[in-house]
Amino acid sequence: MHYNLIKQTNRRYLEELNNRWHEFPNVVNAINIMQKTEWVINKPIYDLLKTCIMNDYGKGKLPVNPESMELPPKPYDIATNEEAKIQWKRQAQKVYKDRAKQKSKYIQVRQILAEADKFINRGGFYYPYQFDFRGRIYPKPAMLSPQSADYSRALIKFKYGRKMGDDEAFADFAIAGAGLYGEVDKEELTIRTKWVEENHQKFIDCATLPLEYTWWENADKPFCFLAWCYEYKAFVESDYSPDFITTLPLQSDCSNSGLQHYSAMMLDEVGGKATNLIPSNKPQDVYGLVASKVVMKLRDMKDSEMAKKWLDYGVDRKLCKKPVMCLPYSLTQYSCRQYLEDHVVKEKNENNRDHSFGEDLFKATQWLTPIVWNAIDDIIVGAKSIMKFLKDVSRLVASENLPVTWTSPLGLPIFMSCYKRESKRVKTQMGDSIIKLSLASDTKIIDKRKTAQSICPNFIHSLDASVLQLAVVKANKLGVDTFSLIHDSFGVVAPDVRLMAKALREAFCEIYGQDILTNFAVEMKQMLSVQNQKKFPKLPAKGNLDLDQVKNSVFFCV
């Protein structure tokens, strides 16, 4: 099977790349290093998943067979009692809706298990990887992969590992387990390791009888946490031997990487502190900081009935997480309101958390949206000024019917084209019937609105792709040779965690040793006509953040 190394359809761009791959060796080396990682199926997880699917056990947030979701019993007088009939239809509609949601998820888990079946008795397998147009790296297989669902990631582990070795490696192993469960993942590292010590027996019980002792299901990532429990049990059974070979990938996640990039670009001290670019004894939680700011604003509205309702409901980090997380990717107030509503509905359905908004949930979330929006502005000072700059520049470029093209910090040319679409009606005959179809295709006109909407997420993704690529190359030079990577999450075995951490922080500082925003501005300005060059917006003012501090920030990525 043939596929392009980079996902692009523009032939001229691909031809240019073919002649220039030698100009950005770190980009090419990174993907080749990742492709050398050999994987195997994690058999205990495989056996459990198969048992759950065959017996329709919805363990660990697994989807169940939608056909097993029974409709409510019909009232005996449904034919004559109109009110009972309407009530039953409402209840049945909810079941039909839930069945539709479950169907695609259920098919996906069956497909992933079918793929795992093919590899369960094989010695090992490898993933081919591919760049998207921004330089982000994805495994070509879409289902069973290290970037798929929680249960899919738990299904695979490295074929070759390393000896657990010293206490530092086990401490990193313990911290990863606490992070997967999620109870103390925002606390100091000593609290996380202590949590592991206190719950020793629970881990053993989960790994011994996962269908009977189901505490693991409460984890943020249930199956990955259970895979960690299996590894923990095996290590305990080795009598904590330093020669124990660990093969489980442990993920270290960046602290809201999008906002980290904006803060680093602007040398923004406020945003840098909120996203752990600056060392501290306790991790900064930007979602929690925004939630606290929202609560303060609500308490100041003493005479507002709606403010009282939201305070009674409880504004927490989980409510604010999605809006804050999506801010770097062109969040709008419209989508911010939708995320707030989605969270309240999800809490009601999954955790039976009541609210007093009644049928006016839309009105309540619409009222809260500008308050959350302003709270984000207060905490993340630099992000919105950069986003406005990027959008203004991209509109100027698009106004000349040009695609927005820039060079990544590692030299990879990035080509972003957002063309307007046109729809054509086509008539065709099928048997005795005439079928009318609508076919959409790209025009040759650049869509200014879509370009402005797309520039922020695509620019940030090109930056985190560059950091990942350089970090992989640096880590490999330090001796790390197995990787499980998800854009801003870096997975290696426990003895390699500190090497990966060192490489990542050095890569981040090296990338931002360049003036990223100025380089982008220079490239964009050169593309424009003299008339539009005069309209070019000023670069946002920078702060005084010392980025070298990132090298000593434990919570930058943990």
Side-chain angles (χ1 to χ4, degrees):
M1 178 183 177
H2 169 79
Y3 59 87
N4 293 326
L5 183 56
I6 189 163
K7 289 181 187 176
Q8 257 291 2
T9 54
N10 188 289
R11 283 182 173 274
R12 289 183 180 177
Y13 171 77
L14 291 173
E15 285 172 8
E16 182 183 349
L17 275 185
N18 278 337
N19 297 320
R20 293 184 58 190
W21 283 113
H22 63 282
E23 295 179 16
F24 24 90
N26 284 326
V27 175
V28 180
N29 288 344
I31 201 168
N32 285 335
I33 290 166
M34 287 173 65
Q35 289 180 142
K36 289 177 182 176
T37 298
E38 191 170 1
W39 300 80
V40 291
I41 299 298
N42 192 339
K43 194 167 187 313
I45 294 290
Y46 169 82
D47 291 338
L48 178 67
L49 272 172
K50 198 149 194 177
T51 301
C52 289
I53 292 300
M54 297 304 290
N55 295 281
D56 230 16
Y57 300 149
K59 299 291 183 185
K61 303 173 188 174
L62 267 185
V64 295
N65 188 339
E67 298 305 316
S68 68
M69 302 169 71
E70 296 182 2
L71 290 169
K74 287 185 179 180
Y76 69 93
D77 58 347
I78 192 168
T80 56
N81 188 333
E82 190 63 27
E83 187 177 336
K85 183 179 179 181
I86 291 171
Q87 188 67 24
W88 179 85
K89 280 188 172 181
R90 282 178 182 164
Q91 294 171 355
Q93 185 183 32
K94 186 178 183 304
V95 176
Y96 285 127
K97 213 172 183 179
D98 290 342
R99 280 183 180 178
K101 283 181 183 176
Q102 288 283 351
K103 189 173 183 180
S104 61
K105 294 178 182 177
Y106 184 70
I107 291 171
Q108 177 177 304
V109 73
R110 294 294 295 249
Q111 287 179 326
I112 286 172
L113 266 177
E115 287 183 19
D117 278 335
K118 295 177 181 177
F119 294 104
I120 189 66
N121 294 317
R122 289 184 60 170
F125 56 93
Y126 298 86
Y127 282 100
Y129 285 87
Q130 184 179 33
F131 295 108
D132 73 359
F133 77 94
R134 303 159 302 191
R136 275 191 154 192
I137 301 175
Y138 294 85
K140 189 62 180 167
M143 291 291 176
L144 177 66
S145 91
Q147 293 184 10
S148 191
D150 167 59
Y151 57 84
S152 176
R153 297 199 300 274
L155 256 176
I156 54 177
K157 62 179 184 176
F158 300 139
K159 180 176 181 180
Y160 299 108
R162 292 198 190 281
K163 293 178 180 180
M164 185 67 82
D166 58 20
D167 291 341
E168 279 191 351
F170 179 68
D172 291 329
F173 180 80
I175 289 163
L180 289 169
Y181 193 82
E183 189 175 301
V184 292
D185 59 326
K186 298 297 175 284
E187 302 296 336
E188 298 170 39
L189 299 186
T190 52
I191 293 175
R192 301 185 205 185
T193 52
K194 188 178 179 183
W195 180 86
V196 169
E197 292 171 14
E198 291 170 350
N199 290 285
H200 162 85
Q201 193 55 48
K202 289 182 180 179
F203 307 145
I204 302 296
D205 292 342
C206 286
T208 306
L209 295 168
L211 290 174
E212 295 177 30
Y213 194 83
T214 57
W215 178 70
W216 60 273
E217 288 188 80
N218 301 319
D220 285 351
K221 298 177 177 68
F223 281 97
C224 284
F225 175 71
L226 184 59
W228 180 89
C229 289
Y230 283 128
E231 193 85 347
Y232 179 86
K233 184 188 176 192
F235 181 52
V236 171
E237 289 174 347
S238 76
D239 197 23
Y240 302 97
S241 170
D243 294 328
F244 172 79
I245 304 295
T246 177
T247 57
L248 188 72
L250 304 177
Q251 301 293 143
S252 298
D253 298 330
C254 286
S255 180
N256 196 314
S257 66
L259 292 177
Q260 284 180 334
H261 287 296
Y262 281 129
S263 299
M265 262 188 283
M266 293 299 294
L267 300 179
D268 172 19
E269 301 100 318
V270 177
K273 183 178 179 182
T275 55
N276 294 299
L277 297 185
I278 298 171
S280 63
N281 294 326
K282 191 173 181 180
Q284 298 295 312
D285 178 16
V286 67
Y287 313 124
L289 291 171
V290 170
S292 298
K293 182 65 75 171
V294 173
V295 169
M296 287 171 58
K297 290 175 183 288
L298 293 176
R299 284 175 179 163
D300 289 340
M301 303 176 186
K302 295 176 183 177
D303 299 326
S304 170
E305 185 63 30
M306 188 63 79
K308 186 177 183 304
K309 284 185 178 181
W310 274 111
L311 286 170
D312 290 341
Y313 177 75
V315 174
D316 56 16
R317 69 180 302 278
K318 288 186 177 179
L319 178 71
C320 298
K321 183 174 181 178
K322 198 73 181 285
V324 177
M325 187 188 295
C326 295
L327 173 71
Y329 311 112
S330 291
L331 177 78
T332 62
Q333 290 202 43
Y334 174 85
S335 53
C336 180
R337 189 215 65 80
Q338 188 62 55
Y339 292 144
L340 296 175
E341 181 178 325
D342 291 346
H343 175 79
V344 175
V345 171
K346 184 180 178 183
E347 285 291 294
K348 173 67 176 172
N349 293 339
E350 294 185 3
N351 301 319
N352 203 25
R353 184 179 174 188
D354 289 324
H355 59 78
S356 58
F357 307 121
E359 299 295 320
D360 293 328
L361 186 54
F362 178 90
K363 183 180 176 183
T365 51
Q366 191 173 42
W367 182 89
L368 187 66
T369 295
I371 298 169
V372 174
W373 192 262
N374 291 331
I376 294 172
D377 274 349
D378 292 342
I379 301 298
I380 309 298
V381 178
K384 286 196 176 177
S385 59
I386 299 183
M387 291 169 67
K388 184 180 184 307
F389 173 80
L390 292 173
K391 288 177 180 180
D392 289 346
V393 169
S394 65
R395 284 192 192 98
L396 282 177
V397 174
S399 70
E400 298 195 13
N401 205 41
L402 294 171
V404 179
T405 58
W406 68 95
T407 306
S408 84
L410 296 184
L412 179 69
I414 294 167
F415 180 91
M416 189 187 89
S417 54
C418 303
Y419 293 103
K420 286 186 176 180
R421 306 273 285 171
E422 64 178 4
S423 185
K424 292 181 179 179
R425 295 280 283 175
V426 178
K427 290 182 182 180
T428 185
Q429 188 165 351
M430 188 174 289
D432 296 329
S433 303
I434 299 294
I435 306 295
K436 294 180 180 179
L437 303 171
S438 290
L439 298 178
S441 59
D442 287 340
T443 65
K444 294 183 179 180
I445 301 170
I446 296 288
D447 188 327
K448 286 191 287 187
R449 184 183 63 84
K450 193 174 177 183
T451 299
Q453 285 178 337
S454 302
I455 183 61
C456 293
N458 289 332
F459 188 63
I460 291 298
H461 286 156
S462 74
L463 293 174
D464 69 33
S466 296
V467 170
L468 179 143
Q469 291 156 13
L470 188 56
V472 167
V473 172
K474 285 179 174 292
N476 190 243
K477 287 178 181 176
L478 294 174
V480 183
D481 55 10
T482 52
F483 297 90
S484 174
L485 303 165
I486 317 173
H487 313 315
D488 62 351
S489 178
F490 301 81
V492 292
V493 290
D496 288 341
V497 166
R498 302 201 180 200
L499 293 175
M500 186 74 244
K502 182 176 186 293
L504 170 61
R505 285 155 178 77
E506 288 180 357
F508 190 87
C509 290
E510 188 172 322
I511 292 291
Y512 283 101
Q514 308 173 44
D515 192 335
I516 302 290
L517 209 55
T518 299
N519 292 346
F520 175 81
V522 168
E523 286 190 274
M524 294 302 104
K525 200 166 185 178
Q526 288 173 347
M527 297 170 63
L528 297 173
S529 63
V530 175
Q531 184 180 359
N532 275 331
Q533 284 181 358
K534 293 175 182 177
K535 299 177 185 177
F536 202 84
K538 287 184 179 179
L539 282 162
K542 288 188 176 183
N544 298 301
L545 176 65
D546 178 9
L547 273 180
D548 272 346
Q549 293 182 86
V550 170
K551 293 177 182 176
N552 300 315
S553 175
V554 173
F555 299 108
F556 166 73
C557 184
V558 67

